[in-house]
Amino acid sequence: MKSWFQKLTDVSTVARTKEMFNEALTELAEELGFEYYAYLNLQPVGTFAVSNYHPDWQDWYFSKGFNEIDPVIHIARATMKAFTWSSENSRTVRSTRVRQFYLDAAGFGIRSGITIPVATAFRRMAMLTVASHQPSLSLKRDIDPVAAATAVAQLHVRIEQTEIEPTAKPNIGLTAKQALMLKWASEGKSMSVIADIENMTYWNVNFHMNNARRKLNAYSLPQATALATKLKLI
């Protein structure tokens, strides 16, 4: 598979748009005998995917919060090296929710695959998966861990640099008031000033700010405004 990872590095270098990435990664997946690919950038808030999985599965995946219980993600975090997986593993799973995850994925033709995780900045992780409708898989050749990690790291950097539009991401539902409070905060306004501008009490402003911060899983107001800006919520 070493030459395959070299090809992945090559296409990552020349791709410029979501369409180019999709075409190149779909072809590379098919070259290995897989139908699907999925790049997942895992963030405390703002995890997103670039994938050719069926759009309904991508929406279902995030709407059900499967990124929080996905066993493939858990294995990737625990091992931080390339590995194979199969829906046949679900037979020994005790968690009802995880079993349902496997069943739902299989319903969309996702039953086995190869996943390659890489460490990214600030102790985060991204990963590339190629997946198949086959219930299990057997590799004819071992996966070179250095070549795999290097190629996926190149892909990650390229997707970040080109700011590729995700094919799916969680829906973080800020209310209009929460978004407005964060927007004023991003403009450098204090809560007391925002209260005056919006003709609200200080405690009402604080209430909306804290709810927005919790939805964004932020530890502070500056972090919440930075995340909301990055995620284009304000």
Side-chain angles (χ1 to χ4, degrees), residues 57 60-61 64-75 86-106 110:
W57 166 246
W60 186 251
Y61 182 93
K64 291 296 182 181
F66 282 154
N67 55 302
E68 298 173 2
I69 56 98
D70 187 341
V72 176
I73 291 177
H74 288 308
I75 295 170
S86 168
S87 60
E88 291 185 343
N89 299 339
S90 64
R91 297 174 183 175
T92 59
V93 172
R94 294 184 178 180
S95 168
T96 302
R97 195 174 178 210
V98 172
R99 283 201 303 272
Q100 189 61 52
F101 165 82
Y102 277 117
L103 287 171
D104 289 352
I110 304 164

Side-chain angles (χ1 to χ4, degrees), residues 31-204:
E31 187 176 313
L32 284 181
F34 296 88
E35 297 97 322
Y36 309 108
Y37 76 86
Y39 162 84
L40 199 61
N41 188 326
L42 292 141
Q43 305 283 335
V45 174
T47 290
F48 69 89
V50 177
S51 175
N52 70 342
Y53 285 150
H54 194 288
D56 288 348
W57 166 246
Q58 295 190 58
D59 291 342
W60 186 251
Y61 182 93
F62 283 114
S63 69
K64 291 296 182 181
F66 282 154
N67 55 302
E68 298 173 2
I69 56 98
D70 187 341
V72 176
I73 291 177
H74 288 308
I75 295 170
R77 283 195 171 120
T79 63
M80 288 307 296
K81 63 181 181 181
F83 62 95
T84 62
W85 51 269
S86 168
S87 60
E88 291 185 343
N89 299 339
S90 64
R91 297 174 183 175
T92 59
V93 172
R94 294 184 178 180
S95 168
T96 302
R97 195 174 178 210
V98 172
R99 283 201 303 272
Q100 189 61 52
F101 165 82
Y102 277 117
L103 287 171
D104 289 352
F108 283 92
I110 304 164
R111 294 183 174 88
S112 62
I114 302 171
T115 294
I116 305 157
V118 291
T120 62
F122 304 106
R123 300 180 182 179
R124 294 172 186 167
M125 184 182 80
M127 59 192 230
L128 176 67
T129 292
V130 287
S132 169
H133 72 281
Q134 298 292 338
S136 61
L137 60 89
S138 59
L139 295 177
K140 296 179 180 178
R141 291 158 289 179
D142 291 334
I143 301 172
D144 183 324
V146 175
T150 300
V152 174
Q154 292 269 16
L155 174 68
H156 164 73
V157 170
R158 192 63 183 166
I159 287 177
E160 288 227 316
Q161 286 177 341
T162 52
E163 297 184 344
I164 296 300
E165 184 68 23
T167 55
K169 58 185 178 180
N171 180 27
I172 302 171
L174 294 181
T175 66
K177 283 291 185 184
Q178 290 164 3
L180 184 61
M181 300 302 103
L182 288 179
K183 183 60 179 176
W184 278 124
S186 72
E187 297 290 330
K189 306 299 183 184
S190 67
M191 285 197 286
S192 58
V193 171
I194 296 171
D196 288 338
I197 293 172
E198 293 296 328
N199 194 27
M200 298 167 61
T201 67
Y202 177 92
W203 303 112
N204 210 355

